[in-house]
Amino acid sequence: EKKKKENKDGKKNDDRDLQELKQIKQEWDLLDIMSPESTLDEPSYSNQNVGDGFAKPVGGYSAVRQDVIDMVLTSNQAFWPADILPPDGPNYSGLLIRLAWHCAGTYRTSDGRGGCDGAAIRFPPESNWKDNKSLDEAMQLLIPIKEKHGDKLSWGDLIVIAADAAIISMGGPVIGFCGGRIDFQNGDQSLPLGPSSIQQQFMPCGPEQCPVGEVCPGCESPLGTAAQGLMYVNAEGTPVGEFEGTADNIREVFARMGFNDRMTVAAIGGGHAFGKCHGPCIEDEIIETFCPDKDTNSYEPPYTWEQKYTSGLEVTWTTTPTSWDNEFFNNILDFTWANITGPGGRLQWEPEEVTAPNIQMLTTDLALVYGDAEYRMISQEYATNLNSLTADFGTAWYQLMTRDTGNRQRCLGDELPPIQPWELAMGPLGPLTTPKPDYIPVRSAIQKSIDEKPSNIAAFATLASQCATTFRSTDYLGGCNGAAIRYSPSIDWPTNTGAVDYLKLLEPIKDEFSEVSWSDLIVLAGQTAIEAAGGYPMPFCGGRSDSDKGDKSIGLEPRIYNNNKYDSIMYDITNKGLSLAEGVALMATPDPIIAELVNLEAGVTASTRANKSTYTLSNQFFVRMNETDEDVMEWYKGDIADIGEQFINDNDYFLEQYSKAYTYLMTADLFDGPTKNACQKVDDPTIQGDTPKPTDPPGLDDDGD
Ligand code: HEM
């Protein structure tokens, strides 16, 4: 309030504003302070598994939902007056749905980043996105609920629950809830979403920062949005006021978060069944987020809801913005639309018919009927069949909220819907192998095969690495569980050259121990090989089950970032959730092709090749890198070379980092491993051990409650 008054007096000062904002945020002590840009080197282990040990809110998630209904949705607050919407009066439901959609809608399938897990929308860069205006206020509304439930409720879960509560309260469909989002401590994890220097480095977009609302060259996948600072598309259209280009743009950017046409139309039209847009005055007239009072031309509090400014568009889509229905689609189809400049000075649409109710549309809304034949058919279906819209919106909303949280085994709470189509491709969802096989004789058989043919060391180690390397900690996709490496698409990737042959080497062992899954066998063979090569003994965690197809790897092919290998390696390491040292260590995995080259260089003949020492795991790999040719120098430089140097000076450090990284990657996709005891503990000391424990997630008290 004080700040607004000062601004009104013309004392606006951006630096001071920032300071004050920081202070306000500190005082609230819940939204955390803004963080400066920092590197992405830190491993995100704490994000790994959630499991049953994670504390849930008292009374469960349904109690939180009820609190939102009782305490927030219709309780007007002076700092951000609720919209007065027919027929019910003050209502924050639309705002809270928009908050969750903007929190979750950053998700992109390209690298698994974005989404509401972590609640990164609380921090820059996301909180600064032009499209995220007024969402600070939405989060402030939720602070009493956060305070009531404390650490047992993450901001990520709360934001989703609040929107679910809003949808339910208005009669809309919510098909389930997956709890367990873990909050980030700062916005670093979404720096690659841009705008930021990290994003410009790895996935540059436009020569300079891309002007807001414009689709700039280079702003393509892996970026989630074609225009920076916007949630996907410019509401005024791309180009402004034109339906066809706008529809194309919507299709392109919604596909980047894994949405097909039906889900896209259902999400936009279903979302805009609720609430309204805010642009009652032109931007020059606003102070902070309030327009001058229409009657008195003053900015004095108490402000009214009609003074609130957000997007600059002044649109209410339906006559019932607090009830679930398909009026949005009927309105688009029933009226003839004329474009006008709204009171906020931006292009929007109103019906030409004088008898029409007081409704308006965005260019992006009309593009769902007038911009594309496929979209039009779907819109027509929803206009005539509310059940169809209800079913599709329910599914689309659940996917929107949940996709980035990964495999459903990570979900907390007892409100999961039936398995959704997008979950089927994520890997084994069924029970892990039971009863657990005895891994000791399996390991002996692997060891025997290595003793007989030392080149199997490189083959097994590489196969396990190829199998597990698809894992990414950003959305928990990929990994060796399921052994998708046996099928297309991953078996065909150039990076998996040789995998067919390596699998053949394991076939006799698989035949002998049919009770052991392929994925367990691949991991155990890799581990046995690494240890035989001189790696530190590692814990083994068994219990994987196999898929009968390779869908788990779809879309996870290694990507080239910024057209250079160095950047690609660096980015890939962070996406996996490895520290830089761990990621660099894994490069030294014995590899049959490299081993063969080394053999050739050293003049090793077929008879001497039987010597195991050719296949050792040691810092010698990095010594060789230092001496190697220019092709390799393209990526063996910078931070990678620095770490290589440290490894050269300290082999123990290298081996330690290697075994940490290897164990992590092989177990990263066993989501119920640590808590549900899926991991086999066996008596043989060489393979005994616990699954690496993830750092305790926030919310555990001393008793582990
Ligand atoms: C509000 C654009 C998709 C839910 C808005 C506003 C704009 C907008 C400009 C007004 C913000 C304000 O001034 O307060 C778009 C565009 C979309 C899109 C361009 C994609 C093409 C979605 C989706 C959902 C959604 C997928 C939810 C599933 C909402 C809701 C509001 C809203 C509930 C009302 C907020 C309130 O009442 O305060 N949208 N939107 N939108 N949007 Fe969307």
Side-chain angles (χ1 to χ4, degrees):
E1 301 274 299
K2 190 175 131 237
K3 190 155 58 125
K4 278 171 197 141
K5 253 200 141 76
E6 283 172 7
N7 284 342
K8 190 190 139 206
D9 298 340
K11 284 193 251 151
K12 199 168 166 102
N13 173 322
D14 283 344
D15 288 347
R16 199 218 36 218
D17 277 356
L18 191 66
Q19 278 310 112
E20 282 188 14
L21 194 60
K22 281 183 180 174
Q23 207 183 328
I24 290 166
K25 291 200 167 182
Q26 263 169 340
E27 279 166 16
W28 281 107
D29 196 26
L30 285 158
L31 292 175
D32 263 336
I33 53 162
M34 296 179 179
S35 70
E37 272 197 21
S38 72
T39 62
L40 293 169
D41 287 352
E42 288 299 312
S44 50
Y45 290 158
S46 57
N47 249 354
Q48 198 42 52
N49 293 300
V50 176
D52 276 352
F54 190 81
K56 301 177 206 59
V58 178
Y61 296 116
S62 56
V64 181
R65 217 161 30 229
Q66 195 55 46
D67 285 343
V68 173
I69 293 172
D70 295 343
M71 295 161 63
V72 182
L73 293 185
T74 54
S75 307
N76 195 36
Q77 303 296 333
F79 71 85
W80 190 251
D83 293 348
I84 309 291
L85 297 175
D88 294 318
N91 204 312
Y92 290 113
S93 296
L95 177 65
L96 292 170
I97 295 170
R98 177 171 159 256
L99 170 65
W101 140 238
H102 285 213
C103 185
T106 50
Y107 175 75
R108 57 193 194 190
T109 55
S110 60
D111 60 7
R113 289 190 177 272
C116 204
D117 194 3
I121 198 168
R122 294 169 301 147
F123 307 110
E126 286 183 46
S127 59
N128 290 339
W129 286 15
K130 186 179 161 75
D131 259 7
N132 285 340
K133 211 179 226 168
S134 308
L135 294 179
D136 255 14
E137 282 82 356
M139 285 184 268
Q140 272 190 43
L141 290 168
L142 295 176
I143 284 174
I145 312 284
K146 177 72 176 117
E147 281 178 338
K148 177 169 170 189
H149 294 278
D151 283 348
K152 298 195 173 193
L153 177 66
S154 66
W155 269 106
D157 279 351
L158 173 55
I159 289 170
V160 177
I161 289 173
D164 284 356
I167 294 174
I168 292 168
S169 78
M170 297 186 291
V174 171
I175 64 169
F177 177 73
C178 161
R181 291 166 190 78
I182 301 173
D183 291 338
F184 295 145
Q185 297 303 309
N186 54 48
D188 290 1
Q189 293 294 333
S190 51
L191 289 174
L193 308 182
S196 73
S197 47
I198 284 178
Q199 162 261 317
Q200 280 296 356
Q201 180 191 346
F202 290 105
M203 46 210 84
C205 162
E208 293 294 324
Q209 188 173 307
C210 196
V212 168
E214 270 179 44
V215 181
C216 292
C219 298
E220 285 152 13
S221 180
L223 287 174
T225 152
Q228 293 205 340
L230 297 185
M231 284 311 296
Y232 294 96
V233 292
N234 181 358
E236 285 181 284
T238 320
V240 172
E242 285 184 26
F243 298 135
E244 281 180 18
T246 301
D248 289 348
N249 196 220
I250 292 175
R251 178 171 285 120
E252 157 73 25
V253 294
F254 272 73
R256 293 190 203 175
M257 65 170 183
F259 268 42
N260 62 25
D261 282 357
R262 284 187 83 80
M263 292 167 65
T264 304
V265 178
I268 298 172
H272 291 174
F274 305 123
K276 73 181 288 286
C277 303
H278 303 85
C281 64
I282 55 168
E283 205 156 8
D284 288 351
E285 289 177 12
I286 52 168
I287 287 195
E288 293 292 304
T289 42
F290 289 99
C291 298
D293 184 279
K294 279 197 198 93
D295 300 325
T296 62
N297 203 27
S298 100
Y299 292 98
E300 291 303 319
Y303 301 105
T304 71
W305 69 275
E306 291 149 304
Q307 287 173 264
K308 285 187 314 187
Y309 182 98
T310 299
S311 62
L313 290 145
E314 186 62 23
V315 163
T316 309
W317 299 279
T318 77
T319 57
T320 54
T322 54
S323 332
W324 171 247
D325 54 32
N326 54 357
E327 197 195 305
F328 171 90
F329 292 102
N330 283 301
N331 285 345
I332 298 182
L333 288 160
D334 286 353
F335 300 107
T336 315
W337 294 90
N339 70 43
I340 57 158
T341 303
R346 297 185 65 186
L347 185 139
Q348 55 187 61
W349 300 75
E350 66 178 21
E352 280 181 2
E353 290 82 351
V354 282
T355 51
N358 181 21
I359 48 166
Q360 299 83 24
M361 290 284 162
L362 306 169
T363 310
T364 43
D365 300 319
L366 296 182
L368 300 181
V369 169
Y370 304 113
D372 179 86
E374 189 59 34
Y375 280 172
R376 184 184 176 91
M377 263 167 47
I378 300 167
S379 296
Q380 280 169 331
E381 179 188 328
Y382 292 152
T384 50
N385 189 342
L386 177 59
N387 287 341
S388 170
L389 172 65
T390 303
D392 287 355
F393 181 78
T395 313
W397 179 258
Y398 183 74
Q399 174 170 334
L400 186 60
M401 293 302 115
T402 319
R403 176 82 196 250
D404 68 312
T405 62
N407 194 298
R408 64 166 40 212
Q409 286 164 331
R410 299 187 63 255
C411 295
L412 297 185
D414 47 13
E415 300 181 41
L416 286 181
I419 290 178
Q420 298 296 297
W422 51 273
E423 290 181 274
L424 284 175
M426 286 186 154
L429 294 166
L432 300 179
T433 322
T434 46
K436 300 286 158 23
D438 181 357
Y439 295 101
I440 296 175
V442 187
R443 184 184 167 103
S444 305
I446 298 166
Q447 186 65 52
K448 193 160 157 261
S449 121
I450 288 172
D451 290 342
E452 284 167 9
K453 195 176 166 203
S455 64
N456 282 358
I457 288 181
F460 295 163
T462 295
L463 178 63
S465 161
Q466 289 170 330
C467 187
T469 198
T470 47
F471 179 78
R472 56 192 201 188
S473 65
T474 48
D475 62 355
Y476 309 96
L477 295 192
C480 195
N481 193 9
I485 181 81
R486 293 187 306 140
Y487 302 101
S488 288
S490 53
I491 195 81
D492 307 320
W493 295 342
T495 44
N496 288 344
T497 307
V500 173
D501 299 330
Y502 312 150
L503 282 162
K504 279 205 189 101
L505 294 171
L506 284 176
E507 251 165 31
I509 302 175
K510 174 72 177 125
D511 289 345
E512 193 183 340
F513 301 97
S514 58
E515 72 280 13
V516 175
S517 65
W518 265 111
S519 32
D520 269 354
L521 180 58
I522 292 168
V523 172
L524 187 53
Q527 171 170 346
T528 309
I530 293 296
E531 290 171 17
Y536 284 168
M538 293 177 282
F540 174 71
C541 179
R544 292 166 190 79
S545 55
D546 293 336
S547 299
D548 56 5
K549 51 185 183 313
D551 291 9
K552 189 178 176 186
S553 300
I554 291 176
L556 302 182
E557 186 171 3
R559 209 176 236 281
I560 292 291
Y561 288 93
N562 203 15
N563 220 11
N564 84 60
K565 198 169 172 196
Y566 175 83
D567 279 1
S568 306
I569 293 172
M570 297 286 281
Y571 195 66
D572 187 53
I573 289 173
T574 66
N575 269 0
K576 283 184 169 47
L578 293 164
S579 72
L580 198 52
E582 290 166 349
V584 173
L586 282 181
M587 290 174 182
T589 299
D591 179 295
I593 298 167
I594 294 181
E596 199 55 31
L597 289 174
V598 173
N599 280 338
L600 284 175
E601 270 173 29
V604 178
T605 61
S607 58
T608 51
R609 199 172 298 160
N611 181 351
K612 250 192 199 173
S613 64
T614 317
Y615 302 100
T616 48
L617 178 77
S618 81
N619 58 1
Q620 284 309 301
F621 173 87
F622 298 97
V623 174
R624 279 204 305 277
M625 285 297 108
N626 271 347
E627 295 161 354
T628 205
D629 61 31
E630 278 174 17
D631 266 6
V632 173
M633 291 317 281
E634 185 215 334
W635 59 266
Y636 193 69
K637 61 182 184 184
D639 287 349
I640 297 182
D642 286 352
I643 289 177
E645 199 63 39
Q646 288 174 37
F647 288 159
I648 289 171
N649 292 332
D650 187 346
N651 194 39
D652 283 341
Y653 176 57
F654 160 68
L655 290 173
E656 186 189 283
Q657 293 299 312
Y658 188 94
S659 60
K660 243 171 79 185
Y662 188 89
T663 308
Y664 162 74
L665 210 55
M666 295 299 150
T667 52
D669 63 341
L670 297 182
F671 300 110
D672 56 358
T675 49
K676 293 185 187 155
N677 205 18
C679 298
Q680 173 100 348
K681 290 180 188 167
V682 282
D683 291 325
D684 182 340
T686 53
I687 53 176
Q688 182 177 18
D690 291 326
T691 320
K693 279 249 184 277
T695 313
D696 283 344
L700 289 178
D701 64 24
D702 292 346
D703 300 320
D705 183 4

